[in-house]
Amino acid sequence: MIARFRRLFEGKFRNARLIKKIMLIYVSISAVPILLLGVFLVVQERNTMQGQRTDAVRTTLGQAVSSISSEIKVYDNLSDYVAYNQTVSDVLTGTYSSKYELYDQYEKTIDPILVSPSYFSPDIEKLKIYIDSDLPSHGVTIMHISDLKTDEWYKEYKDRINQSVTWIIDYKAHKIRSVRLMPLMELNGVRGLMYLEVKYDAFFDGFNSICQKGQGLTIVDSSGNAVYERRNELPEGAVKLKDMLSGEKRSGHFYIESEKIKGLPLTVYMYGERNFSALQNLQVVVVLLIYLGIVAATLYIATKFFNRYVVSDLTKLEANMHEVENGNRILSVVSDSQDEIGGLIRGFGSMLAEINRLIKENYENRLSLRKAEMKALQAQINPHFLYNSLSLINWKAIEAGADDISEVTLALSSFYRTSLNRGKNVLTVEKEIENVKSYIKIQSYMHDNSFDTVIDVDEGILKYQTLNLLLQPLVENAIDHGIDMKEDGRGFIKIIGRQTADTITLTVEDNGVGMDEETAQKIITFKSKGYGVANVNQRIRLFYGQPYGLQIESSIGSGTRCTVTIPKVLTEH
């Protein structure tokens, strides 16, 4: 096991960078005194931290209890406002000539008083008045005391409810209620009971945030029942309820702190693990950080010197090599040092210069070959004979009244005229668009007008230069491998021409069957059966260079989008 670990460590260390090796050695040497210092500080600060922890827990618990006591005071004030409201008493003890008059008082007087508090205090679940009279109930605000006779809480507290606020904590039903009699209604001979209910979880929500990791909180009522509990990464039953009620400050390795809630028959018990990490003490952290800062500063200075005088040239050489791997064959690192690293850099520079020379020579040869092939192809066609023949066919078609044949003939003549382009390899974008329009017209006749065509080209790009026969292979591919294979719906081809500050983009879109990403990459790199599309991309790369070329976007069932990008170059006249 040890031997295996040793081999693994040596392999990792041997393959690490020089800077990392130096840092690892330095940190390893510094780790021992850091560890000893940490142990010493933990031992010295343990008692101090226990005292600070107790004070912090008491302060936090006191603030939380004070906050909820303030909320109780707010609810009690609201209860006083409603119970001693003369207007409310007059409405609920008065006499009315009609139900309409009564309901008008309910809606204009009672509802605003009993409903509006819930808008300002969302924790209020219910606020209503129960009456013991012949007046009818009204929505959720006015009800009869007889409706409470079946409620268990009312049966239990009925005889204890008086004109003072009585808080009832029902932990089983998760209800917190504030009830009292209505004094002013009692004076008018009508018994009334004000009922306020607060959302149970929201009421105790303020205690959730004070429980840190390794702490718990239990709220107990006057009968010794746990009405609310909260634990943060502590197991259930870590501190028994009987230990809390006993008044002890400790239970095993847990501490216990308590605080009564003013205005409620509740006591809050907060407990947690006594063994706190010394790192929670700010003083310990500061000392350790200072020590670590000194170590880091010396490490940084040593690394800078080593990097500047030992590793810098090697790092630059490595970066330059990665750039060459990514296609950027420019020498960016030089050295006049006479050591081994300087010799290595100069050798790399010589090698890169020779590679660039060979690549340039090969590029020029291939470009010359392509031009020769194009000229040979164009030379095989006798343009005058072809144009005269097509003109003859056109006149014969007109004489015979065959307009469709005439149109196809003219389209074919226009297509070959722009394709041959008098032996030139470049033409204007306008001529290239004419060429592809003629081609599409011919294909439309061949396909019995089974697809639609949209030409959307910015007029501002028509005067610029492009290579001839760039769009025709893309349109041909869209028809043969896209639209022709479409089983339903009418096909369309859209040709778009746009410009930026420095480039022109010509796009051919179709709604054919589409293709997956792997197929799209194959047809652009001579790895498929057809060469037309790949030839377009290669001609652009050879003539204009990087980063110009052809890009294909497609997905199965969604059609294909081919985009040609070329530089903006005005045609020479």
Side-chain angles (χ1 to χ4, degrees), residues 9-22:
F9 175 77
E10 288 180 350
K12 293 286 186 181
F13 187 79
R14 185 181 296 110
N15 295 328
R17 300 175 64 86
L18 287 176
I19 288 293
K20 290 185 178 180
K21 291 178 181 178
I22 297 298

Side-chain angles (χ1 to χ4, degrees), residues 427-434 457-458 461-466 471 497 504 506 566 571:
L427 73 173
T428 61
V429 173
E430 182 178 13
K431 293 295 184 182
E432 179 68 7
I433 297 300
E434 287 182 11
V457 178
D458 187 348
I461 69 172
L462 297 179
K463 61 184 177 181
Y464 287 99
Q465 177 194 96
T466 182
L471 298 180
I504 291 174
L506 300 173
I566 58 175
T571 304

Side-chain angles (χ1 to χ4, degrees), residues 464-480:
Y464 287 99
Q465 177 194 96
T466 182
L467 295 175
N468 64 340
L469 291 178
L470 287 186
L471 298 180
Q472 182 272 328
L474 304 181
V475 173
E476 181 180 2
N477 187 75
I479 295 173
D480 292 345

Side-chain angles (χ1 to χ4, degrees), residues 128-132 136-145 147:
K128 59 180 70 176
I129 296 175
Y130 289 90
I131 58 175
D132 189 10
S137 300
H138 177 63
V140 296
T141 55
I142 305 298
M143 305 186 77
H144 287 96
I145 291 180
D147 296 334

Side-chain angles (χ1 to χ4, degrees), residues 265-549:
L266 299 176
T267 302
V268 183
Y269 294 90
M270 190 171 180
Y271 53 89
E273 296 177 335
R274 296 176 57 207
N275 297 325
F276 277 60
S277 170
L279 290 178
Q280 292 179 339
N281 184 272
L282 181 60
Q283 184 178 352
V284 178
V285 173
V286 170
V287 173
L288 286 177
L289 288 177
I290 292 175
Y291 190 82
L292 289 173
I294 296 173
V295 175
T298 55
L299 176 62
Y300 176 79
I301 295 172
T303 302
K304 281 292 184 180
F305 273 97
F306 186 77
N307 184 60
R308 179 174 180 181
Y309 296 106
V310 179
V311 185
S312 178
D313 286 344
L314 284 177
T315 303
K316 293 178 182 178
L317 179 60
E318 182 186 25
N320 203 169
M321 288 180 175
H322 284 307
E323 289 182 3
V324 173
E325 288 178 358
N326 295 328
N328 183 18
R329 296 182 301 275
I330 299 176
L331 182 65
S332 61
V333 57
V334 294
S335 176
D336 56 359
S337 176
Q338 299 303 312
D339 59 8
E340 293 84 353
I341 296 176
L344 181 63
I345 292 175
R346 287 189 291 275
F348 174 75
S350 299
M351 179 189 69
L352 186 59
E354 181 63 16
I355 291 174
N356 285 333
R357 185 189 66 79
L358 293 174
I359 290 176
K360 181 179 179 182
E361 182 179 315
N362 182 56
Y363 169 79
E364 291 175 349
N365 290 338
R366 291 175 64 187
L367 186 59
S368 298
L369 177 62
R370 287 292 179 183
K371 289 181 178 179
E373 289 176 350
M374 182 62 72
K375 289 183 178 180
L377 176 64
Q378 293 171 340
Q380 293 176 5
I381 304 173
N382 187 330
H384 295 293
F385 174 75
L386 178 63
Y387 298 154
N388 292 337
S389 299
L390 292 174
S391 178
L392 177 60
I393 296 172
N394 178 47
W395 280 109
K396 289 294 185 181
I398 292 174
E399 290 179 355
D403 293 337
D404 52 349
I405 297 177
S406 174
E407 288 186 11
V408 172
T409 304
L410 290 175
L412 185 61
S413 176
S414 175
F415 172 72
Y416 276 111
R417 183 177 293 105
T418 50
S419 297
L420 296 176
N421 196 31
R422 298 180 180 179
K424 296 179 181 179
N425 196 31
V426 295
L427 73 173
T428 61
V429 173
E430 182 178 13
K431 293 295 184 182
E432 179 68 7
I433 297 300
E434 287 182 11
N435 175 268
V436 78
K437 283 182 178 179
S438 299
Y439 180 76
I440 291 174
K441 180 175 286 188
I442 296 170
Q443 286 284 6
S444 180
Y445 274 105
M446 294 174 63
H447 289 77
D448 197 22
N449 294 312
S450 62
F451 61 86
D452 298 318
T453 305
V454 176
I455 308 292
D456 181 11
V457 178
D458 187 348
E459 292 186 1
I461 69 172
L462 297 179
K463 61 184 177 181
Y464 287 99
Q465 177 194 96
T466 182
L467 295 175
N468 64 340
L469 291 178
L470 287 186
L471 298 180
Q472 182 272 328
L474 304 181
V475 173
E476 181 180 2
N477 187 75
I479 295 173
D480 292 345
H481 302 289
I483 295 175
D484 282 355
M485 302 178 69
K486 186 178 177 66
E487 295 181 356
D488 59 343
R490 185 172 177 83
F492 78 81
I493 294 176
K494 187 174 184 179
I495 298 175
I496 305 170
R498 295 290 184 267
Q499 63 178 324
T500 64
D502 303 312
T503 62
I504 291 174
T505 57
L506 300 173
T507 303
V508 177
E509 292 184 13
D510 68 74
N511 65 337
V513 296
M515 68 190 84
D516 55 34
E517 185 176 350
E518 181 181 358
T519 304
Q521 292 302 315
K522 283 183 177 180
I523 68 172
I524 207 172
T525 55
F526 291 100
K527 293 183 179 179
S528 62
K529 295 180 180 180
Y531 295 100
V533 176
N535 187 55
V536 169
N537 185 53
Q538 188 181 53
R539 287 176 60 209
I540 296 172
R541 292 285 175 86
L542 288 173
F543 193 84
Y544 294 113
Q546 295 280 9
Y548 306 105

Side-chain angles (χ1 to χ4, degrees), residues 228-285:
Y228 186 79
E229 289 187 278
R230 169 74 175 176
R231 293 182 300 276
N232 192 342
E233 298 190 18
L234 280 180
E236 185 176 358
V239 177
K240 304 296 184 183
L241 183 59
K242 64 179 182 178
D243 294 335
M244 302 180 199
L245 298 177
S246 68
E248 296 292 332
K249 293 294 185 180
R250 293 184 181 180
S251 175
H253 63 281
F254 290 90
Y255 63 85
I256 303 175
E257 297 292 339
S258 63
E259 186 87 17
K260 291 186 177 181
I261 299 178
K262 186 178 180 180
L264 289 179
L266 299 176
T267 302
V268 183
Y269 294 90
M270 190 171 180
Y271 53 89
E273 296 177 335
R274 296 176 57 207
N275 297 325
F276 277 60
S277 170
L279 290 178
Q280 292 179 339
N281 184 272
L282 181 60
Q283 184 178 352
V284 178
V285 173

